[in-house]
Amino acid sequence: MVSFYSLLPVCAAIAAVWAAPSKVKEKHEIVGRQSSPINHADPGTGYYYIMSAGANCTMGPGGQFTANWGSNAGSWICGKGWNPGSASKIITYSGTFNPSGNAYLSVYGWTINPLIEYRIVESFGTLNPASGATKKGTVVTDGATYDIYQSVRVNAPSIQGTATFYQYWSVRQIKRTSGTVTLANHFKAWASLGMLLGQFNYQVVAVEGYNSSGWATISVGSGTPTPTTTTSTTTSSVLQTTTSSSAPVETL
């Protein structure tokens, strides 16, 4: 079992970042983390994990992890998944997520070429984490409707150093703490709205928080993708997208 506190000396040597929409004020949003997180393979489990200072983050066997945090924890992240990620992965997860304040549970990852930070938010505390972003549409998948947002970070920390990059969001309208996330449905919906991804870096199920308190116990797994047929529209009963013209698209 790996605990953050047993790995503190490694933190300073790892370069990575955690960024949030630039339009949202710090008091309302999870902001860039001030300490370098640990992020590497979890020996013997086949999983990849990330954790940063602030919460008590413990990696259990297989795809399990736990996080406990207090109101003085600042901004932090804790999660488990894969590196590299995949466009076709079907992620399964289950557990308990009990935040008091600003925190959320999501599928979280990065791509390069283009450099994109993305989240599929399954549950959150007091604030929708994409509340400062531009709404682009919706997607219906895995038994619920997700709102699709896009935001931009200018000269912000990233997995490639300081850069300007887009953030993509799918935020589930009906919160949950267990289920299946069919990544291809989200990514296809994003692409239909001009939100393109690149080469996958890590892809994890993560719990994040900022100046809140709570605890979470999550178990992560993956299923086998079902065969799909690529079409020029996304209007089936499984995947449905709609666009919104109420706000302009942000450009770099």
Side-chain angles (χ1 to χ4, degrees):
M1 183 175 294
V2 181
S3 172
F4 174 80
Y5 295 108
S6 66
L7 293 170
L8 280 174
V10 183
C11 286
I14 305 293
V17 325
W18 315 97
S22 57
K23 287 184 177 181
V24 185
K25 299 299 183 181
E26 177 174 318
K27 67 179 180 180
H28 295 307
E29 184 53 278
I30 296 174
V31 295
R33 290 151 182 83
Q34 301 303 311
S35 60
S36 298
I38 297 166
N39 56 103
H40 56 68
D42 193 3
T45 69
Y47 287 91
Y48 184 88
Y49 71 85
I50 58 176
M51 60 171 73
S52 65
N56 182 359
C57 181
T58 301
M59 295 298 152
Q64 297 177 13
F65 69 92
T66 63
N68 293 273
W69 66 99
S71 58
N72 61 347
S75 187
W76 56 270
I77 188 167
C78 176
K80 209 167 199 180
W82 304 268
N83 191 5
S86 168
S88 61
K89 189 177 294 295
I90 296 178
I91 294 176
T92 61
Y93 73 96
S94 61
T96 304
F97 174 60
N98 284 303
S100 177
N102 191 6
Y104 46 92
L105 170 67
S106 67
V107 176
Y108 175 77
W110 288 85
T111 72
I112 60 173
N113 299 320
L115 180 64
I116 302 292
E117 182 184 32
Y118 65 89
R119 291 177 177 88
I120 300 169
V121 180
E122 295 289 283
S123 186
F124 56 88
T126 55
L127 178 75
N128 181 337
S131 59
T134 299
K135 186 173 181 180
K136 300 293 293 295
T138 61
V139 58
V140 178
T141 181
D142 299 316
T145 299
Y146 291 75
D147 295 316
I148 299 173
Y149 299 87
Q150 178 176 281
S151 51
V152 65
R153 294 281 289 173
V154 178
N155 295 329
S158 80
I159 60 170
Q160 294 185 325
T162 301
T164 296
F165 54 90
Y166 281 124
Q167 296 174 307
Y168 298 163
W169 306 77
S170 285
V171 181
R172 188 179 174 95
Q173 292 182 358
I174 301 173
K175 301 175 186 179
R176 64 176 180 175
T177 58
S178 65
T180 299
V181 180
T182 307
L183 295 183
N185 289 350
H186 292 274
F187 297 163
K188 184 178 179 181
W190 294 354
S192 74
L193 298 169
M195 300 164 60
L196 303 179
L197 295 168
Q199 177 183 343
F200 286 93
N201 199 274
Y202 60 77
Q203 185 178 79
V204 300
V205 176
V207 176
E208 301 176 74
Y210 174 67
N211 283 357
S212 61
S213 60
W215 60 275
T217 300
I218 304 295
S219 182
V220 181
S222 64
T224 302
T226 56
T228 58
T229 301
T230 301
T231 64
S232 59
T233 60
T234 54
T235 57
S236 70
S237 60
V238 175
L239 175 62
Q240 207 169 20
T241 59
T242 60
T243 59
S244 171
S245 58
S246 60
V249 176
E250 297 182 84
T251 56
L252 298 180

